[in-house]
Amino acid sequence: MSKTSLKTTVEWRSINWRKLERRVYKLQNRIYQAAQRGDIKTYRRLQKLLLKSWYAKALAVRRVSQDNKGKKTAGVDGVKSLTPLQRLKLTIKLSLDDKADAIPRVWIPKPGKTEKRPLGIPTMRDRALQTLVKMALEPEWEARFEPNSYGFRVGRSCHDAIEAIFQSIRLVPKYVLDADIANCFDKINHEALLSKLNTFPQLRRQIRAWLKAGVIEKEEYKKTEDGTPQGGALSPLLANIALHGMEERIKQHAETLDIKGSHGRQQSKRDKRSAISLIRYADDFVILHKDLNVVKECKAIISKWLKEMGLELKEEKTSIVHTLNQHQNETPGFDFLGFNIRQHEVGRTHSKSGFKTIITPSKMSIKSHLREIETIVKSHKSAPQRALINKLNPVIHGWTNYYSTVVSKETFGNLRNKIFEKLRAWAYRRHPKKNRKWICKKYWITIGERNWEFAQKWKGKTYILFNHPDKPIERHILVKNNVSPYDGNLVYWSNRHGKNPLLPSRVAKLLKKQKGVCPHCNMKFLEQDVMEVDHIIPQSKGGRDEWENLQLLHRHCHDEKTAKDGSLTVRKKSANSLRSRM
């Protein structure tokens, strides 16, 4: 494909994006490996290569102009969207030039809170360039980041942070420092951040230009002497870099503690380090230890450490509690990322430890969810039933997906009952002259063996409201320490996410569907294994080429199955070439 010809708009649409993703991923994988072994010269050379790569530039432009949710929000240049021709032009011109445009600032409300968050909106060019820089920097820092840092990182999520807390306290009740950093994004010291970033001069100058670009608020320009503006593609990564080292500082302090074991001997440094946990999600973090004095010491140490970056703890949101017992009139347990984490005393027949750790949706999150449901119902007073269902379903699906990894079944049942009451009031209001039996028959119908389904049949299609208890509870598996999507472990990340740039899409999806297990031999797939897509019912015997009839097998298992059912299976080229990609 020509890199200079701009005659048609079809050229942008005809790009082989999968090929671009593979090329860029391979380069990021090499950066990650070089950073892991501490080869600074190699990974900086590779970063410069990626920043000049046409493939990486095209991907960066595509993400900000087509994939990003805020793609139609304009910066100071007033550009909201790009045509295919403009995307191609931007790709060719994209390069580091030590320049940055000022950022318009708007204030958006925080979910469920009265406070507001400042949001900066860079220009389309700056967004694309920040995305390109992030592609180069992220693999380097993914090789360095601490294992219990989960916020704004590829391959990690809120659920990993909650599962890490559960693993830390499931055997021993602990004191918890539940802390929040005050205005983290707005107060990071620029010089301290750039010093910690420690990158090559050209990239350092470009990042400094973004940090010093200034903001425009109510048509008034203001200089930015500190902080990273929220809204840019690079800001979350820079915030993580600024906060990198907190966990190691706490572990170093743990090594100096005078802690003796059951035999009166001093504990090893390894045991002392493992006894204390700092789990961070962006600027929210918790420190857990069974000794109250240790937790208080850690608070003082972290406060001092944060001052070096120009930050401080938000005292009104920082507290010390205990997971099992009452502490200073504070109820046991704490809220973190919308979850309530608490331990309850139980009999020895239920648990050998005498307590059980229960994680549930927090009361504030439940109230916020009900408030959102109520707002939707009120705004659809005269709308058709199907319109209300279409509006409610994504909200309910999203909320239940988030909380389906913890003890939520009882909460889901209670929410269903409360939403039923709101919908019943909505239905009664629409027909004040009809009796209630008629109303219930109109809006709640029987589908299969299920009665009282809030649904509507319209033009051959049935619109059904999704009920909270319909979402099954499935425990989240904690991500392994010191792993990254850039490490090249195709089997692990395909099994976890269902996609990988170096694997055919249906191979990756089948890996996730089968949870990394071959259904023929019931053995887990290993990195060096050769895998092939198989039709459960052979096509020669009427089997269709659809998901329900596909499975992923080891090559030797595929041969055994083929020989046993007597069918001739044509091996696909993509499956045959898996060995070279693994």
Side-chain angles (χ1 to χ4, degrees):
M1 191 195 75
S2 169
K3 299 178 185 179
T4 56
S5 174
L6 303 175
K7 292 181 181 179
T8 65
T9 59
V10 179
E11 191 168 1
W12 176 265
R13 298 192 183 107
S14 63
I15 293 174
N16 185 346
W17 293 107
R18 189 163 183 81
K19 177 184 175 182
L20 269 61
E21 288 177 357
R22 284 200 300 268
R23 293 288 180 89
V24 172
Y25 178 83
K26 286 180 179 180
L27 202 52
Q28 290 176 316
N29 175 239
R30 291 170 65 191
I31 294 171
Y32 177 87
Q33 291 174 344
Q36 267 199 325
R37 62 178 183 266
D39 190 348
I40 299 176
K41 184 178 179 181
T42 299
Y43 72 68
R44 284 191 178 169
R45 175 177 59 81
L46 292 169
Q47 284 174 334
K48 292 175 184 177
L49 182 63
L50 190 146
L51 289 169
K52 293 177 182 178
S53 166
W54 188 89
Y55 295 130
K57 291 178 183 180
L59 280 176
V61 171
R62 184 191 189 210
R63 286 177 188 175
V64 300
S65 63
Q66 292 182 270
D67 298 340
N68 193 279
K69 289 183 179 179
K71 61 187 179 184
K72 292 190 177 180
T73 308
V76 291
D77 58 355
V79 177
K80 291 186 177 182
S81 60
L82 298 176
T83 65
L85 181 62
Q86 289 171 327
R87 292 179 201 137
L88 201 55
K89 286 181 178 180
L90 178 58
T91 300
I92 295 168
K93 293 179 181 179
L94 204 63
S95 62
L96 303 180
D97 56 6
D98 306 345
K99 296 178 182 178
D101 294 310
I103 299 172
R105 175 181 283 175
V106 295
W107 293 83
I108 58 173
K110 292 184 178 181
K113 299 179 182 178
T114 55
E115 302 174 16
K116 290 189 175 182
R117 177 187 290 114
L119 182 67
I121 308 166
T123 60
M124 194 69 75
R125 175 202 168 271
D126 279 344
R127 281 182 242 176
L129 194 54
Q130 285 188 27
T131 303
L132 179 65
V133 170
K134 184 182 177 184
M135 286 181 187
L137 282 178
E138 197 168 51
E140 173 199 344
W141 282 93
E142 278 296 320
R144 297 188 195 179
F145 280 143
E146 294 157 325
N148 283 319
S149 165
Y150 297 103
F152 303 124
R153 288 183 61 189
V154 288
R156 283 168 162 75
S157 66
C158 301
H159 300 102
D160 289 308
I162 297 300
E163 184 62 22
I165 292 173
F166 175 80
Q167 295 296 337
S168 176
I169 64 175
R170 68 187 183 90
L171 298 177
V172 182
K174 294 182 179 180
Y175 286 95
V176 182
L177 172 67
D178 183 12
D180 186 20
I181 301 172
N183 301 321
C184 176
F185 282 85
D186 300 328
K187 292 189 176 181
I188 294 174
N189 184 283
H190 288 172
E191 296 307 317
L193 173 60
L194 290 169
S195 176
K196 184 179 280 190
L197 189 61
N198 191 28
T199 188
F200 55 91
Q202 187 184 20
L203 185 54
R204 179 189 176 95
R205 289 194 299 270
Q206 181 65 67
I207 293 174
R208 181 192 288 275
W210 282 324
L211 294 174
K212 301 290 186 182
V215 298
I216 297 174
E217 188 174 351
K218 295 180 180 179
E219 298 184 357
E220 182 182 349
Y221 176 80
K222 297 179 181 178
K223 291 184 178 180
T224 47
E225 300 298 334
D226 46 29
T228 62
Q230 298 184 55
L234 196 59
S235 295
L237 177 61
L238 294 178
N240 268 336
I241 293 171
L243 297 175
H244 173 67
M246 287 177 64
E247 185 178 355
E248 182 57 30
R249 179 66 188 90
I250 291 299
K251 298 287 185 182
Q252 289 173 0
H253 173 67
E255 292 178 2
T256 65
L257 297 175
D258 182 21
I259 302 176
K260 295 180 180 179
S262 56
H263 299 290
R265 299 175 185 173
Q266 193 70 220
Q267 283 188 347
S268 66
K269 288 184 178 180
R270 181 180 177 181
D271 290 339
K272 290 177 182 178
R273 287 174 69 94
S274 61
I276 192 167
S277 302
L278 186 148
I279 295 158
R280 180 173 67 84
Y281 188 90
D283 57 343
D284 294 332
F285 66 92
V286 293
I287 297 176
L288 306 110
H289 195 273
K290 60 183 179 181
D291 191 328
L292 176 61
N293 293 326
V294 172
V295 174
K296 289 180 178 178
E297 290 171 9
C298 289
K299 180 182 178 182
I301 290 168
I302 287 297
S303 295
K304 184 179 179 181
W305 186 90
L306 287 172
K307 284 181 181 178
E308 297 174 6
M309 294 302 302
L311 302 171
E312 60 183 1
L313 293 178
K314 198 170 188 176
E315 289 298 330
E316 60 268 26
K317 288 190 176 181
T318 300
S319 60
I320 296 177
V321 296
H322 194 266
T323 56
L324 180 61
N325 304 317
Q326 190 174 18
H327 173 67
Q328 294 183 348
N329 298 324
E330 294 280 351
T331 56
F334 61 100
D335 290 349
F336 190 66
L337 301 178
F339 295 87
N340 179 261
I341 300 141
R342 182 178 175 179
Q343 292 170 328
H344 300 263
E345 291 184 354
V346 294
R348 294 283 176 178
T349 54
H350 293 280
S351 174
K352 293 180 181 179
S353 59
F355 66 87
K356 204 168 185 67
T357 304
I358 303 294
I359 302 176
T360 58
S362 68
K363 290 181 180 179
M364 186 176 292
S365 178
I366 294 170
K367 286 182 181 178
S368 176
H369 181 54
L370 278 173
R371 198 180 302 120
E372 185 178 6
I373 296 288
E374 187 175 3
T375 302
I376 293 172
V377 172
K378 282 184 177 180
S379 65
H380 286 69
K381 288 179 180 178
S382 57
Q385 184 183 7
R386 60 187 180 277
L388 176 60
I389 291 171
N390 286 338
K391 194 71 175 179
L392 286 175
N393 275 347
V395 175
I396 297 173
H397 270 293
W399 200 87
T400 54
N401 283 341
Y402 187 73
Y403 290 104
S404 63
T405 61
V406 296
V407 186
S408 303
K409 206 66 181 176
E410 185 178 345
T411 302
F412 287 174
N414 292 336
L415 284 170
R416 176 187 58 186
N417 295 338
K418 290 179 180 179
I419 291 172
F420 172 78
E421 292 172 2
K422 295 181 186 298
L423 293 175
R424 185 176 57 185
W426 173 86
Y428 288 169
R429 181 191 173 279
R430 291 165 70 90
H431 305 281
K433 296 182 180 180
K434 295 287 185 181
N435 64 64
R436 296 188 173 185
K437 186 176 180 181
W438 182 92
I439 295 172
C440 289
K441 280 187 176 182
K442 177 176 175 60
Y443 292 104
W444 282 269
I445 62 177
T446 298
I447 300 176
E449 297 180 355
R450 299 183 58 163
N451 300 323
W452 288 91
E453 288 288 340
F454 188 76
Q456 181 184 18
K457 293 181 179 179
W458 177 260
K459 293 184 178 180
K461 186 177 179 181
T462 305
Y463 298 83
I464 309 172
L465 181 70
F466 180 78
N467 293 310
H468 288 74
D470 292 341
K471 180 66 180 178
I473 304 297
E474 187 174 352
R475 184 69 174 270
H476 180 77
I477 299 173
L478 178 64
V479 67
K480 292 180 181 178
N481 286 344
N482 301 317
V483 298
S484 169
Y486 299 117
D487 61 13
N489 190 339
L490 307 184
V491 172
Y492 179 79
W493 291 106
S494 297
N495 179 24
R496 194 169 179 87
H497 292 155
K499 60 181 179 180
N500 193 289
L502 299 186
L503 282 179
S505 58
R506 70 175 185 172
V507 171
K509 288 178 182 177
L510 286 171
L511 264 174
K512 183 177 182 181
K513 180 183 176 182
Q514 296 172 196
K515 298 183 178 179
V517 176
C518 173
H520 187 80
C521 63
N522 292 321
M523 298 288 288
K524 280 189 173 290
F525 290 107
L526 301 177
E527 191 68 17
Q528 66 273 16
D529 290 342
V530 181
M531 298 170 285
E532 293 188 350
V533 177
D534 170 65
H535 291 85
I536 300 171
I537 301 174
Q539 288 180 300
S540 60
K541 296 185 178 179
R544 294 185 177 182
D545 189 25
E546 53 188 24
W547 284 111
E548 290 75 14
N549 193 42
L550 294 179
Q551 62 182 351
L552 194 66
L553 304 177
H554 293 105
R555 173 175 284 180
H556 55 270
C557 293
H558 192 195
D559 290 341
E560 288 178 16
K561 177 183 177 296
T562 304
K564 194 174 291 184
D565 61 25
S567 64
L568 296 174
T569 305
V570 179
R571 291 175 178 167
K572 293 186 177 290
K573 182 180 178 181
S574 60
N576 281 332
S577 60
L578 282 177
R579 182 186 293 276
S580 62
R581 297 181 181 178
M582 299 296 287

